[in-house]
Amino acid sequence: MSVDVFQLTIHYLALDEQQAPQIRERQALIPTNAQVCHLLEQLHLSYNGKPAKGYARFSSDKSPLMQESMELWLQQPDDFMQLAKTATAELVKQLTEHQLAESGYLLISHYRYLATDYLLLCLLGSKEHFSVTAELDLAAAKHLDIARMQLAARIDLTEYQLNREHPHAISFIRGRAGRKVADFFLDFLGCEEGSDAKENSKQMLSSVEEYLSAAEFDPAEKSQVRQQVYQYCEEQSKQGQDVVLKELSEAMDPDDQHGFLHYCAEQQLAVAEQFPVEVKSLKPLVKFSGAGAGVSVSFEQKHLGERVVYDPQQDILTIRGVPPNLKDQLQRFLTGSSQ
């Protein structure tokens, strides 16, 4: 297993009749075993898969409480429960001030994944499920709803200890509530927003297209380069790693590994040397999509000119080989209409 869990504790956050948060604290660490490691691996992968993340650094203009508590813990690793207690109290305070009515299990853990240490803080809901016993009786139990993790923050301790001012060592899930959740996490952690994954990804996408237009690639080669860029960025995102410009350049063209890197420098393109990526923003590299006037169309770029043909003069899109499920719907509808 690729996860090593060093310290873990879980508290329970409930709401009273006035919707005020109440905490039931665990008084000791949870013993580490294979089951715990498997849980953290699932949480790590689920967190990496969340598309809407913000990035931040500790700020002198915000409360220093969380940073000070974390620094004390880094000096005295055995005092993890004090860090968890401070984080829990600050979470309750900020939830109250931001008027967020949230309940669930607050999980705080120090773990290592592929040689990188992390501090994860997440609030997980629970979901009831049913099972059948050996005697064929029904039994009900609750499980942590990892898939719907919405309130979570993670600190890359390895990056943070190398550079306290790293612009994206701290990340958080923005969640469905958008700006309100972002403000909550920034205040909770005592941070200011740093690197913008979405903007960095868009800038990189624009620079790749500019490079492809200037380079002597034929259409097939351009399509292959776009695929390689997307695959590299997607893999980095899955691993929770940043895109590194030098590595991206190497992935784009094995015959000229520094071509894109040198082009960015020569043209003074505003592409960061290292940045978190939002894969969703890179979909135009490999897919065409659009919607309007009641019509929605989406297809992979590799099909253009083969299964999908566009006539710009007549503004007609021809699709050969209609997807089976769509074809079935159309045939059923036409049959029903004729009858």
Side-chain angles (χ1 to χ4, degrees):
M1 191 171 290
S2 52
V3 169
D4 295 314
V5 181
F6 302 114
Q7 294 163 310
L8 167 68
T9 188
I10 298 177
H11 302 321
Y12 183 66
L13 178 64
L15 297 174
D16 62 18
E17 293 180 356
Q18 287 73 43
Q19 297 296 291
Q22 303 292 322
I23 282 287
R24 191 173 80 216
E25 293 185 337
R26 181 181 172 87
Q27 300 303 313
L29 294 173
I30 293 176
T32 300
N33 53 34
Q35 190 175 23
V36 167
C37 291
H38 184 59
L39 168 64
L40 263 297
E41 186 173 38
Q42 288 189 59
L43 286 171
H44 179 85
L45 296 175
S46 178
Y47 186 92
N48 286 351
K50 296 293 182 180
K53 287 195 283 287
Y55 296 85
R57 61 165 69 92
F58 287 117
S59 171
S60 57
D61 296 330
K62 298 285 185 81
S63 169
L65 186 61
M66 281 300 297
Q67 185 178 21
E68 290 176 352
S69 298
M70 195 175 76
E71 290 287 355
L72 286 173
W73 164 66
L74 289 173
Q75 295 171 21
Q76 302 175 1
D78 291 337
D79 204 9
F80 187 77
M81 290 303 296
Q82 182 57 48
L83 170 66
K85 186 175 182 179
T86 300
T88 302
E90 185 64 16
L91 179 80
V92 171
K93 175 186 173 185
Q94 294 300 332
L95 283 173
T96 302
E97 291 184 0
H98 285 269
Q99 298 181 337
L100 292 172
E102 298 288 344
S103 62
Y105 296 90
L106 176 60
L107 183 148
I108 305 173
S109 179
H110 169 212
Y111 69 96
R112 179 176 297 157
Y113 184 86
L114 299 179
T116 300
D117 281 40
Y118 296 97
L119 177 67
L120 176 68
L121 306 96
C122 61
L123 188 63
L124 299 173
S126 60
K127 200 172 182 180
E128 193 169 39
H129 71 272
F130 299 91
S131 60
V132 179
T133 67
E135 291 75 27
L136 302 182
D137 291 324
L138 282 176
K142 287 186 176 182
H143 69 266
L144 295 174
D145 195 355
I146 295 174
R148 296 192 180 185
M149 174 171 48
Q150 289 296 326
L151 290 180
R154 189 174 70 186
I155 301 173
D156 185 328
L157 295 171
T158 303
E159 289 281 11
Y160 174 77
Q161 291 182 89
L162 290 173
N163 178 13
R164 295 303 198 262
E165 298 299 318
H166 198 289
H168 39 90
I170 303 171
S171 63
F172 59 91
I173 298 174
R174 290 187 181 278
R176 293 185 296 271
R179 187 69 248 174
K180 191 172 184 180
V181 172
D183 291 341
F184 160 74
F185 269 116
L186 293 174
D187 291 341
F188 165 52
L189 296 170
C191 291
E192 62 181 5
E193 197 151 8
S195 186
D196 189 320
K198 185 175 183 179
E199 287 304 315
N200 283 328
S201 300
K202 287 184 175 181
Q203 179 59 48
M204 186 267 285
L205 176 62
S206 174
S207 300
V208 168
E209 290 300 335
E210 186 176 325
Y211 170 68
L212 290 177
S213 297
E216 296 180 355
F217 291 122
D218 62 36
E221 289 173 329
K222 288 182 179 180
S223 180
Q224 184 178 7
V225 169
R226 292 187 182 102
Q227 285 282 352
Q228 290 167 335
V229 170
Y230 186 81
Q231 288 172 5
Y232 167 76
C233 293
E234 186 179 41
E235 185 60 31
Q236 292 298 101
S237 177
K238 286 180 180 178
Q239 297 296 331
Q241 301 295 318
D242 292 342
V243 165
V244 179
L245 186 59
K246 180 176 179 294
E247 294 177 356
L248 176 64
S249 183
E250 293 170 355
M252 288 173 68
D253 188 355
D255 296 327
D256 185 10
Q257 295 188 347
H258 303 298
F260 181 61
L261 186 66
H262 290 160
Y263 182 82
C264 290
E266 290 168 1
Q267 301 299 317
Q268 298 182 336
L269 300 180
V271 184
E273 293 185 4
Q274 183 173 334
F275 57 90
V277 68
E278 184 184 82
V279 177
K280 182 180 178 181
S281 299
L282 302 181
K283 285 290 186 182
L285 281 169
V286 294
K287 182 175 287 190
F288 291 112
S289 61
V295 176
S296 178
V297 179
S298 176
F299 60 93
E300 295 179 14
Q301 280 196 18
K302 64 183 181 182
H303 295 311
L304 185 64
E306 297 177 359
R307 285 186 60 191
V308 183
V309 178
Y310 177 56
D311 182 347
Q313 302 301 322
Q314 300 186 61
D315 195 26
I316 295 176
L317 194 70
T318 304
I319 302 175
R320 295 186 178 91
V322 177
N325 55 348
L326 176 58
K327 183 178 180 179
D328 181 62
Q329 293 176 59
L330 293 171
Q331 290 177 336
R332 287 174 181 271
F333 178 80
L334 292 174
T335 301
S337 296
S338 63
Q339 290 176 349

